[in-house]
Amino acid sequence: CSIGAGLQMQYAAGNIIAESLPGFADDPERLKRQFFSELILHEMGHTMGLNHNMKASQMLSPAELSNREITQLYGVSGSVMDYPVVNATADRSKQGDYYIERPGPYDDWAIEFGYTPFSPAEEQAGLNKILSRSTDPKLIFGNDADIVYPGSGIDPRVNTWDMSNDMATYGEDRFKLVNELMVKLKDRYAKPGESYAELRGKYNTVMYQRFSMAGPMSRYIGGVYLDRSFVGQNPAVKPFTPVPADYQKKIMSTLSTYVFAPDAFNADAYLIPYLQSQRRGFNFFGHPEDPKPELIALALQMYTLSYILNSSTLNRANRTTLYGNTYSSADILNDINGMLFDADLKTNVNLYRQNIQTEYVKMLANIVNTGEQYDNASKAAALNSLRILRDKINKASSSNEQSKAHRANLIFLIDKALVIK
């Protein structure tokens, strides 16, 4: 169990929100109490034999998570055994609980199953009665083995550091909150007579919230909702249901705006010259101390894009077209082409976009030329995408030398991948 370190990062972000936004003056104490309650309940759950339940944070909608009457009644999650993102909002009037403070519905149910005393004659009937409630939406469950990783879990609802049954909406709200916080950080944490180290640390903490949202959101692309009800137990639900195409596209649109767009990191721009670590002795030997925001942004973008372009994701996107999915690998790559290139085809390309455009072309080239693990449909989609991009880039216009050089390099990489003589 590694909840401690992750929960600490989430708590730190919640603390910045409570300290920086108007109307939250009394919230740091509530946040602290709920943070420790969640952590202690989680570890106590392990001592009583409970698995992680990484699906439990799907219990409530974003609107319900903003209603403290509801979060006080049920908690922000169906179980204390999830790894939850801090439930925070920019609007104090819509701030539900930050963390769960009591065992959730799933925990009560699992403990009831594990610890209710029955006589031998009553045991089977008693256990069956408890188990008959397994289709209750508040008792949703998925443990570590179900978490979505490339080549592993397939249900995007089973994840760490996510929240709500609508990650597209919840994630967009959190991205907006991050941008709102960014513009307040310097005034709040650059203190006279002190170094900029605290400001840099707060920036990194807030930036991490983008990772917390982008990772779980990306898992919906090519995802499949999984249901393990027995035959006849939940006849309205199939064992495997592809994530609806319109929801996948909604996720992609949100990621486009807040992770990949040319202006995705505009809120951070004024901070860059102030992101200075405090010098201690000789700790900068071999490590130039200037801030490198483009590398942090690229790490976020690659973290997101690498999952979407993984062979397991694209192959599954094609496979599931056989039973309901209408968002194939070609559709996914077509949307990524637009997401990464269309906004600056008639202007210059900033450094953030130069980096991710170059890496994306390399990834497509790899699929075409050495991607043995990719199915035929994904290879065809990648080849087609490279040809479409070559056309787009050749028609693009630039006024500065760096953008011209960047586009010339992209054409070189594409031609090399297509073996054009």
Side-chain angles (χ1 to χ4, degrees), residues 256-298:
S256 175
T257 300
Y258 295 100
V259 177
F260 296 104
D263 61 352
F265 306 104
N266 278 8
D268 311 26
Y270 84 104
L271 278 172
I272 295 173
Y274 300 97
L275 299 178
Q276 184 182 52
S277 296
Q278 184 170 342
R279 179 174 179 174
R280 297 188 181 279
F282 299 90
N283 60 327
F284 291 129
F285 266 139
H287 302 282
E289 63 179 292
D290 58 311
K292 301 169 183 64
E294 82 284 3
L295 299 184
I296 299 174
L298 183 61

mmCIF file of all heavy atoms in Angstrom, residues 256-298:
data_model
loop_
_atom_site.group_PDB
_atom_site.id
_atom_site.type_symbol
_atom_site.label_atom_id
_atom_site.label_comp_id
_atom_site.label_asym_id
_atom_site.label_seq_id
_atom_site.Cartn_x
_atom_site.Cartn_y
_atom_site.Cartn_z
ATOM 1 N N SER A 256 -7.357 17.992 -25.002
ATOM 2 C CA SER A 256 -6.857 18.912 -26.020
ATOM 3 C C SER A 256 -6.744 20.331 -25.478
ATOM 4 O O SER A 256 -5.724 21.004 -25.654
ATOM 5 C CB SER A 256 -7.786 18.887 -27.238
ATOM 6 O OG SER A 256 -7.385 19.846 -28.193
ATOM 7 N N THR A 257 -7.787 20.775 -24.785
ATOM 8 C CA THR A 257 -7.824 22.151 -24.276
ATOM 9 C C THR A 257 -6.823 22.397 -23.162
ATOM 10 O O THR A 257 -6.139 23.431 -23.145
ATOM 11 C CB THR A 257 -9.241 22.479 -23.777
ATOM 12 O OG1 THR A 257 -10.170 22.339 -24.856
ATOM 13 C CG2 THR A 257 -9.316 23.894 -23.222
ATOM 14 N N TYR A 258 -6.699 21.451 -22.230
ATOM 15 C CA TYR A 258 -5.955 21.725 -21.002
ATOM 16 C C TYR A 258 -4.582 21.060 -20.909
ATOM 17 O O TYR A 258 -3.819 21.351 -19.996
ATOM 18 C CB TYR A 258 -6.802 21.316 -19.789
ATOM 19 C CG TYR A 258 -8.052 22.147 -19.665
ATOM 20 C CD1 TYR A 258 -9.286 21.652 -20.108
ATOM 21 C CD2 TYR A 258 -8.002 23.441 -19.153
ATOM 22 C CE1 TYR A 258 -10.436 22.424 -20.017
ATOM 23 C CE2 TYR A 258 -9.151 24.211 -19.069
ATOM 24 C CZ TYR A 258 -10.358 23.699 -19.504
ATOM 25 O OH TYR A 258 -11.499 24.470 -19.419
ATOM 26 N N VAL A 259 -4.257 20.188 -21.885
ATOM 27 C CA VAL A 259 -2.950 19.528 -21.858
ATOM 28 C C VAL A 259 -2.149 19.792 -23.130
ATOM 29 O O VAL A 259 -0.932 19.950 -23.076
ATOM 30 C CB VAL A 259 -3.112 18.001 -21.654
ATOM 31 C CG1 VAL A 259 -1.760 17.283 -21.704
ATOM 32 C CG2 VAL A 259 -3.805 17.720 -20.328
ATOM 33 N N PHE A 260 -2.825 19.875 -24.285
ATOM 34 C CA PHE A 260 -2.101 19.917 -25.546
ATOM 35 C C PHE A 260 -2.224 21.218 -26.325
ATOM 36 O O PHE A 260 -1.440 21.450 -27.247
ATOM 37 C CB PHE A 260 -2.571 18.763 -26.439
ATOM 38 C CG PHE A 260 -2.258 17.400 -25.884
ATOM 39 C CD1 PHE A 260 -3.254 16.613 -25.308
ATOM 40 C CD2 PHE A 260 -0.969 16.909 -25.915
ATOM 41 C CE1 PHE A 260 -2.968 15.356 -24.794
ATOM 42 C CE2 PHE A 260 -0.667 15.647 -25.401
ATOM 43 C CZ PHE A 260 -1.662 14.873 -24.831
ATOM 44 N N ALA A 261 -3.170 22.072 -26.026
ATOM 45 C CA ALA A 261 -3.384 23.292 -26.802
ATOM 46 C C ALA A 261 -2.180 24.235 -26.704
ATOM 47 O O ALA A 261 -1.427 24.198 -25.723
ATOM 48 C CB ALA A 261 -4.648 24.005 -26.323
ATOM 49 N N PRO A 262 -1.977 25.117 -27.699
ATOM 50 C CA PRO A 262 -0.854 26.053 -27.639
ATOM 51 C C PRO A 262 -0.866 26.926 -26.387
ATOM 52 O O PRO A 262 0.189 27.328 -25.880
ATOM 53 C CB PRO A 262 -1.044 26.903 -28.899
ATOM 54 C CG PRO A 262 -1.814 26.041 -29.836
ATOM 55 C CD PRO A 262 -2.717 25.218 -28.972
ATOM 56 N N ASP A 263 -2.061 27.219 -25.870
ATOM 57 C CA ASP A 263 -2.160 28.094 -24.692
ATOM 58 C C ASP A 263 -2.443 27.320 -23.404
ATOM 59 O O ASP A 263 -2.835 27.908 -22.391
ATOM 60 C CB ASP A 263 -3.249 29.146 -24.906
ATOM 61 C CG ASP A 263 -4.639 28.536 -25.115
ATOM 62 O OD1 ASP A 263 -4.741 27.290 -25.237
ATOM 63 O OD2 ASP A 263 -5.622 29.298 -25.166
ATOM 64 N N ALA A 264 -2.240 26.001 -23.404
ATOM 65 C CA ALA A 264 -2.600 25.178 -22.242
ATOM 66 C C ALA A 264 -1.871 25.606 -20.979
ATOM 67 O O ALA A 264 -2.390 25.437 -19.867
ATOM 68 C CB ALA A 264 -2.308 23.705 -22.539
ATOM 69 N N PHE A 265 -0.683 26.167 -21.124
ATOM 70 C CA PHE A 265 0.115 26.528 -19.952
ATOM 71 C C PHE A 265 0.330 28.037 -19.839
ATOM 72 O O PHE A 265 1.276 28.490 -19.184
ATOM 73 C CB PHE A 265 1.458 25.791 -19.998
ATOM 74 C CG PHE A 265 1.303 24.305 -20.140
ATOM 75 C CD1 PHE A 265 1.546 23.684 -21.359
ATOM 76 C CD2 PHE A 265 0.863 23.531 -19.076
ATOM 77 C CE1 PHE A 265 1.373 22.315 -21.511
ATOM 78 C CE2 PHE A 265 0.687 22.163 -19.217
ATOM 79 C CZ PHE A 265 0.937 21.548 -20.434
ATOM 80 N N ASN A 266 -0.562 28.806 -20.433
ATOM 81 C CA ASN A 266 -0.440 30.262 -20.357
ATOM 82 C C ASN A 266 -0.529 30.791 -18.938
ATOM 83 O O ASN A 266 0.113 31.782 -18.585
ATOM 84 C CB ASN A 266 -1.514 30.934 -21.217
ATOM 85 C CG ASN A 266 -1.123 30.996 -22.684
ATOM 86 O OD1 ASN A 266 -0.121 30.404 -23.094
ATOM 87 N ND2 ASN A 266 -1.912 31.688 -23.488
ATOM 88 N N ALA A 267 -1.331 30.143 -18.095
ATOM 89 C CA ALA A 267 -1.482 30.607 -16.716
ATOM 90 C C ALA A 267 -0.173 30.519 -15.945
ATOM 91 O O ALA A 267 0.031 31.241 -14.966
ATOM 92 C CB ALA A 267 -2.571 29.805 -16.004
ATOM 93 N N ASP A 268 0.735 29.656 -16.375
ATOM 94 C CA ASP A 268 2.008 29.441 -15.684
ATOM 95 C C ASP A 268 3.088 30.430 -16.122
ATOM 96 O O ASP A 268 4.123 30.561 -15.445
ATOM 97 C CB ASP A 268 2.549 28.032 -15.968
ATOM 98 C CG ASP A 268 1.542 26.922 -15.773
ATOM 99 O OD1 ASP A 268 0.337 27.165 -15.882
ATOM 100 O OD2 ASP A 268 1.973 25.788 -15.517
ATOM 101 N N ALA A 269 2.880 31.092 -17.257
ATOM 102 C CA ALA A 269 3.976 31.805 -17.925
ATOM 103 C C ALA A 269 4.661 32.832 -17.026
ATOM 104 O O ALA A 269 5.897 32.928 -16.992
ATOM 105 C CB ALA A 269 3.462 32.473 -19.197
ATOM 106 N N TYR A 270 3.895 33.623 -16.284
ATOM 107 C CA TYR A 270 4.490 34.687 -15.476
ATOM 108 C C TYR A 270 5.358 34.130 -14.352
ATOM 109 O O TYR A 270 6.253 34.814 -13.830
ATOM 110 C CB TYR A 270 3.391 35.589 -14.891
ATOM 111 C CG TYR A 270 2.782 35.063 -13.601
ATOM 112 C CD1 TYR A 270 3.117 35.617 -12.369
ATOM 113 C CD2 TYR A 270 1.888 33.984 -13.612
ATOM 114 C CE1 TYR A 270 2.568 35.124 -11.188
ATOM 115 C CE2 TYR A 270 1.349 33.492 -12.448
ATOM 116 C CZ TYR A 270 1.681 34.065 -11.233
ATOM 117 O OH TYR A 270 1.160 33.572 -10.064
ATOM 118 N N LEU A 271 5.107 32.863 -13.961
ATOM 119 C CA LEU A 271 5.826 32.252 -12.843
ATOM 120 C C LEU A 271 7.228 31.770 -13.214
ATOM 121 O O LEU A 271 8.106 31.670 -12.348
ATOM 122 C CB LEU A 271 5.043 31.042 -12.313
ATOM 123 C CG LEU A 271 3.895 31.281 -11.352
ATOM 124 C CD1 LEU A 271 3.147 29.977 -11.114
ATOM 125 C CD2 LEU A 271 4.405 31.842 -10.029
ATOM 126 N N ILE A 272 7.447 31.467 -14.482
ATOM 127 C CA ILE A 272 8.664 30.770 -14.887
ATOM 128 C C ILE A 272 9.950 31.446 -14.392
ATOM 129 O O ILE A 272 10.836 30.776 -13.847
ATOM 130 C CB ILE A 272 8.684 30.566 -16.412
ATOM 131 C CG1 ILE A 272 7.541 29.616 -16.821
ATOM 132 C CG2 ILE A 272 10.025 29.987 -16.866
ATOM 133 C CD1 ILE A 272 7.348 29.480 -18.325
ATOM 134 N N PRO A 273 10.105 32.781 -14.502
ATOM 135 C CA PRO A 273 11.363 33.392 -14.060
ATOM 136 C C PRO A 273 11.572 33.346 -12.546
ATOM 137 O O PRO A 273 12.652 33.720 -12.064
ATOM 138 C CB PRO A 273 11.234 34.851 -14.532
ATOM 139 C CG PRO A 273 10.152 34.857 -15.539
ATOM 140 C CD PRO A 273 9.213 33.764 -15.129
ATOM 141 N N TYR A 274 10.551 32.909 -11.799
ATOM 142 C CA TYR A 274 10.645 32.892 -10.334
ATOM 143 C C TYR A 274 10.792 31.479 -9.755
ATOM 144 O O TYR A 274 10.909 31.322 -8.539
ATOM 145 C CB TYR A 274 9.403 33.545 -9.727
ATOM 146 C CG TYR A 274 9.210 34.975 -10.154
ATOM 147 C CD1 TYR A 274 8.351 35.300 -11.205
ATOM 148 C CD2 TYR A 274 9.892 36.017 -9.520
ATOM 149 C CE1 TYR A 274 8.177 36.613 -11.611
ATOM 150 C CE2 TYR A 274 9.725 37.330 -9.922
ATOM 151 C CZ TYR A 274 8.867 37.620 -10.968
ATOM 152 O OH TYR A 274 8.704 38.924 -11.366
ATOM 153 N N LEU A 275 10.805 30.453 -10.601
ATOM 154 C CA LEU A 275 10.837 29.078 -10.107
ATOM 155 C C LEU A 275 12.268 28.661 -9.776
ATOM 156 O O LEU A 275 12.889 27.830 -10.441
ATOM 157 C CB LEU A 275 10.209 28.138 -11.144
ATOM 158 C CG LEU A 275 8.740 28.409 -11.473
ATOM 159 C CD1 LEU A 275 8.245 27.457 -12.554
ATOM 160 C CD2 LEU A 275 7.873 28.292 -10.220
ATOM 161 N N GLN A 276 12.766 29.237 -8.722
ATOM 162 C CA GLN A 276 14.163 29.046 -8.336
ATOM 163 C C GLN A 276 14.264 28.192 -7.067
ATOM 164 O O GLN A 276 13.605 28.458 -6.061
ATOM 165 C CB GLN A 276 14.828 30.407 -8.075
ATOM 166 C CG GLN A 276 16.312 30.334 -7.760
ATOM 167 C CD GLN A 276 16.876 31.703 -7.459
ATOM 168 O OE1 GLN A 276 16.351 32.433 -6.617
ATOM 169 N NE2 GLN A 276 17.941 32.068 -8.164
ATOM 170 N N SER A 277 15.101 27.153 -7.134
ATOM 171 C CA SER A 277 15.391 26.373 -5.934
ATOM 172 C C SER A 277 16.352 27.149 -5.040
ATOM 173 O O SER A 277 17.146 27.969 -5.521
ATOM 174 C CB SER A 277 16.034 25.034 -6.311
ATOM 175 O OG SER A 277 15.151 24.241 -7.054
ATOM 176 N N GLN A 278 16.291 26.890 -3.769
ATOM 177 C CA GLN A 278 17.229 27.554 -2.852
ATOM 178 C C GLN A 278 18.577 26.839 -2.922
ATOM 179 O O GLN A 278 18.657 25.617 -2.811
ATOM 180 C CB GLN A 278 16.705 27.520 -1.420
ATOM 181 C CG GLN A 278 17.591 28.287 -0.445
ATOM 182 C CD GLN A 278 16.924 28.448 0.915
ATOM 183 O OE1 GLN A 278 15.714 28.287 1.037
ATOM 184 N NE2 GLN A 278 17.705 28.776 1.918
ATOM 185 N N ARG A 279 19.628 27.628 -3.084
ATOM 186 C CA ARG A 279 20.957 27.030 -3.176
ATOM 187 C C ARG A 279 21.432 26.587 -1.802
ATOM 188 O O ARG A 279 21.329 27.331 -0.830
ATOM 189 C CB ARG A 279 21.948 28.030 -3.767
ATOM 190 C CG ARG A 279 23.358 27.456 -3.869
ATOM 191 C CD ARG A 279 24.303 28.388 -4.571
ATOM 192 N NE ARG A 279 25.644 27.804 -4.620
ATOM 193 C CZ ARG A 279 26.650 28.340 -5.282
ATOM 194 N NH1 ARG A 279 26.485 29.454 -5.961
ATOM 195 N NH2 ARG A 279 27.841 27.769 -5.263
ATOM 196 N N ARG A 280 21.992 25.378 -1.771
ATOM 197 C CA ARG A 280 22.581 24.860 -0.535
ATOM 198 C C ARG A 280 23.931 24.249 -0.890
ATOM 199 O O ARG A 280 24.005 23.207 -1.532
ATOM 200 C CB ARG A 280 21.668 23.820 0.118
ATOM 201 C CG ARG A 280 20.325 24.413 0.550
ATOM 202 C CD ARG A 280 19.503 23.417 1.364
ATOM 203 N NE ARG A 280 18.219 23.984 1.751
ATOM 204 C CZ ARG A 280 18.022 24.810 2.776
ATOM 205 N NH1 ARG A 280 19.063 25.162 3.523
ATOM 206 N NH2 ARG A 280 16.828 25.263 3.062
ATOM 207 N N GLY A 281 24.986 24.920 -0.467
ATOM 208 C CA GLY A 281 26.331 24.416 -0.732
ATOM 209 C C GLY A 281 26.630 24.338 -2.208
ATOM 210 O O GLY A 281 26.586 25.342 -2.920
ATOM 211 N N PHE A 282 26.906 23.132 -2.709
ATOM 212 C CA PHE A 282 27.309 22.938 -4.096
ATOM 213 C C PHE A 282 26.298 22.063 -4.846
ATOM 214 O O PHE A 282 26.675 21.271 -5.709
ATOM 215 C CB PHE A 282 28.706 22.289 -4.130
ATOM 216 C CG PHE A 282 29.764 23.129 -3.486
ATOM 217 C CD1 PHE A 282 30.046 22.985 -2.133
ATOM 218 C CD2 PHE A 282 30.463 24.082 -4.219
ATOM 219 C CE1 PHE A 282 31.016 23.768 -1.529
ATOM 220 C CE2 PHE A 282 31.442 24.862 -3.623
ATOM 221 C CZ PHE A 282 31.724 24.708 -2.273
ATOM 222 N N ASN A 283 25.028 22.184 -4.503
ATOM 223 C CA ASN A 283 24.045 21.230 -5.025
ATOM 224 C C ASN A 283 23.667 21.428 -6.482
ATOM 225 O O ASN A 283 22.856 20.680 -7.002
ATOM 226 C CB ASN A 283 22.778 21.218 -4.154
ATOM 227 C CG ASN A 283 22.093 22.568 -4.094
ATOM 228 O OD1 ASN A 283 22.757 23.607 -4.133
ATOM 229 N ND2 ASN A 283 20.785 22.568 -3.986
ATOM 230 N N PHE A 284 24.226 22.430 -7.169
ATOM 231 C CA PHE A 284 23.895 22.601 -8.584
ATOM 232 C C PHE A 284 24.984 22.078 -9.515
ATOM 233 O O PHE A 284 24.927 22.292 -10.713
ATOM 234 C CB PHE A 284 23.610 24.080 -8.901
ATOM 235 C CG PHE A 284 22.338 24.572 -8.280
ATOM 236 C CD1 PHE A 284 22.320 25.744 -7.533
ATOM 237 C CD2 PHE A 284 21.155 23.873 -8.421
ATOM 238 C CE1 PHE A 284 21.148 26.201 -6.948
ATOM 239 C CE2 PHE A 284 19.979 24.322 -7.838
ATOM 240 C CZ PHE A 284 19.975 25.493 -7.101
ATOM 241 N N PHE A 285 26.013 21.407 -8.978
ATOM 242 C CA PHE A 285 27.027 20.821 -9.838
ATOM 243 C C PHE A 285 26.373 19.855 -10.824
ATOM 244 O O PHE A 285 25.681 18.917 -10.446
ATOM 245 C CB PHE A 285 28.058 20.047 -9.019
ATOM 246 C CG PHE A 285 29.285 20.854 -8.651
ATOM 247 C CD1 PHE A 285 29.840 20.749 -7.383
ATOM 248 C CD2 PHE A 285 29.875 21.697 -9.577
ATOM 249 C CE1 PHE A 285 30.960 21.482 -7.037
ATOM 250 C CE2 PHE A 285 31.005 22.432 -9.234
ATOM 251 C CZ PHE A 285 31.548 22.328 -7.962
ATOM 252 N N GLY A 286 26.594 20.082 -12.114
ATOM 253 C CA GLY A 286 26.083 19.165 -13.128
ATOM 254 C C GLY A 286 24.601 19.269 -13.387
ATOM 255 O O GLY A 286 24.055 18.506 -14.186
ATOM 256 N N HIS A 287 23.944 20.196 -12.734
ATOM 257 C CA HIS A 287 22.492 20.350 -12.899
ATOM 258 C C HIS A 287 22.166 21.833 -13.047
ATOM 259 O O HIS A 287 21.958 22.525 -12.050
ATOM 260 C CB HIS A 287 21.735 19.765 -11.696
ATOM 261 C CG HIS A 287 22.008 18.318 -11.454
ATOM 262 N ND1 HIS A 287 21.427 17.321 -12.204
ATOM 263 C CD2 HIS A 287 22.817 17.700 -10.565
ATOM 264 C CE1 HIS A 287 21.858 16.151 -11.781
ATOM 265 N NE2 HIS A 287 22.699 16.342 -10.790
ATOM 266 N N PRO A 288 22.163 22.351 -14.261
ATOM 267 C CA PRO A 288 21.850 23.782 -14.441
ATOM 268 C C PRO A 288 20.564 24.150 -13.726
ATOM 269 O O PRO A 288 19.570 23.432 -13.816
ATOM 270 C CB PRO A 288 21.713 23.916 -15.956
ATOM 271 C CG PRO A 288 22.508 22.779 -16.512
ATOM 272 C CD PRO A 288 22.363 21.659 -15.534
ATOM 273 N N GLU A 289 20.558 25.260 -13.031
ATOM 274 C CA GLU A 289 19.457 25.552 -12.114
ATOM 275 C C GLU A 289 18.300 26.321 -12.728
ATOM 276 O O GLU A 289 17.314 26.603 -12.051
ATOM 277 C CB GLU A 289 19.975 26.320 -10.896
ATOM 278 C CG GLU A 289 20.568 27.693 -11.213
ATOM 279 C CD GLU A 289 21.033 28.416 -9.955
ATOM 280 O OE1 GLU A 289 20.169 28.803 -9.147
ATOM 281 O OE2 GLU A 289 22.240 28.577 -9.793
ATOM 282 N N ASP A 290 18.396 26.679 -14.013
ATOM 283 C CA ASP A 290 17.291 27.418 -14.615
ATOM 284 C C ASP A 290 16.054 26.526 -14.709
ATOM 285 O O ASP A 290 16.158 25.311 -14.889
ATOM 286 C CB ASP A 290 17.678 27.930 -16.002
ATOM 287 C CG ASP A 290 18.090 26.811 -16.939
ATOM 288 O OD1 ASP A 290 18.919 25.976 -16.520
ATOM 289 O OD2 ASP A 290 17.585 26.746 -18.071
ATOM 290 N N PRO A 291 14.858 27.107 -14.583
ATOM 291 C CA PRO A 291 13.626 26.303 -14.684
ATOM 292 C C PRO A 291 13.472 25.741 -16.093
ATOM 293 O O PRO A 291 13.890 26.367 -17.071
ATOM 294 C CB PRO A 291 12.516 27.306 -14.359
ATOM 295 C CG PRO A 291 13.103 28.644 -14.645
ATOM 296 C CD PRO A 291 14.576 28.540 -14.350
ATOM 297 N N LYS A 292 12.871 24.569 -16.188
ATOM 298 C CA LYS A 292 12.707 23.897 -17.483
ATOM 299 C C LYS A 292 11.236 23.503 -17.657
ATOM 300 O O LYS A 292 10.892 22.308 -17.698
ATOM 301 C CB LYS A 292 13.625 22.680 -17.549
ATOM 302 C CG LYS A 292 15.107 23.070 -17.378
ATOM 303 C CD LYS A 292 15.994 21.887 -17.170
ATOM 304 C CE LYS A 292 17.435 22.332 -16.937
ATOM 305 N NZ LYS A 292 17.598 23.124 -15.695
ATOM 306 N N PRO A 293 10.364 24.481 -17.767
ATOM 307 C CA PRO A 293 8.913 24.188 -17.808
ATOM 308 C C PRO A 293 8.507 23.355 -18.996
ATOM 309 O O PRO A 293 7.535 22.587 -18.932
ATOM 310 C CB PRO A 293 8.278 25.585 -17.852
ATOM 311 C CG PRO A 293 9.345 26.466 -18.434
ATOM 312 C CD PRO A 293 10.635 25.925 -17.910
ATOM 313 N N GLU A 294 9.242 23.480 -20.116
ATOM 314 C CA GLU A 294 8.853 22.711 -21.301
ATOM 315 C C GLU A 294 9.041 21.210 -21.079
ATOM 316 O O GLU A 294 8.308 20.401 -21.667
ATOM 317 C CB GLU A 294 9.635 23.185 -22.531
ATOM 318 C CG GLU A 294 11.044 22.628 -22.696
ATOM 319 C CD GLU A 294 12.081 23.268 -21.757
ATOM 320 O OE1 GLU A 294 11.695 24.107 -20.925
ATOM 321 O OE2 GLU A 294 13.269 22.902 -21.866
ATOM 322 N N LEU A 295 9.980 20.834 -20.205
ATOM 323 C CA LEU A 295 10.194 19.413 -19.924
ATOM 324 C C LEU A 295 9.100 18.861 -19.013
ATOM 325 O O LEU A 295 8.678 17.709 -19.162
ATOM 326 C CB LEU A 295 11.572 19.204 -19.289
ATOM 327 C CG LEU A 295 12.774 19.619 -20.153
ATOM 328 C CD1 LEU A 295 14.076 19.262 -19.448
ATOM 329 C CD2 LEU A 295 12.711 18.967 -21.535
ATOM 330 N N ILE A 296 8.631 19.692 -18.076
ATOM 331 C CA ILE A 296 7.524 19.264 -17.217
ATOM 332 C C ILE A 296 6.261 19.094 -18.058
ATOM 333 O O ILE A 296 5.526 18.114 -17.928
ATOM 334 C CB ILE A 296 7.285 20.277 -16.084
ATOM 335 C CG1 ILE A 296 8.527 20.406 -15.204
ATOM 336 C CG2 ILE A 296 6.085 19.868 -15.232
ATOM 337 C CD1 ILE A 296 8.433 21.492 -14.147
ATOM 338 N N ALA A 297 6.013 20.075 -18.938
ATOM 339 C CA ALA A 297 4.831 19.999 -19.804
ATOM 340 C C ALA A 297 4.913 18.782 -20.725
ATOM 341 O O ALA A 297 3.926 18.061 -20.922
ATOM 342 C CB ALA A 297 4.704 21.278 -20.628
ATOM 343 N N LEU A 298 6.109 18.529 -21.274
ATOM 344 C CA LEU A 298 6.263 17.384 -22.170
ATOM 345 C C LEU A 298 6.056 16.068 -21.414
ATOM 346 O O LEU A 298 5.469 15.119 -21.950
ATOM 347 C CB LEU A 298 7.647 17.406 -22.828
ATOM 348 C CG LEU A 298 7.911 16.298 -23.857
ATOM 349 C CD1 LEU A 298 6.921 16.382 -25.019
ATOM 350 C CD2 LEU A 298 9.347 16.370 -24.372
#
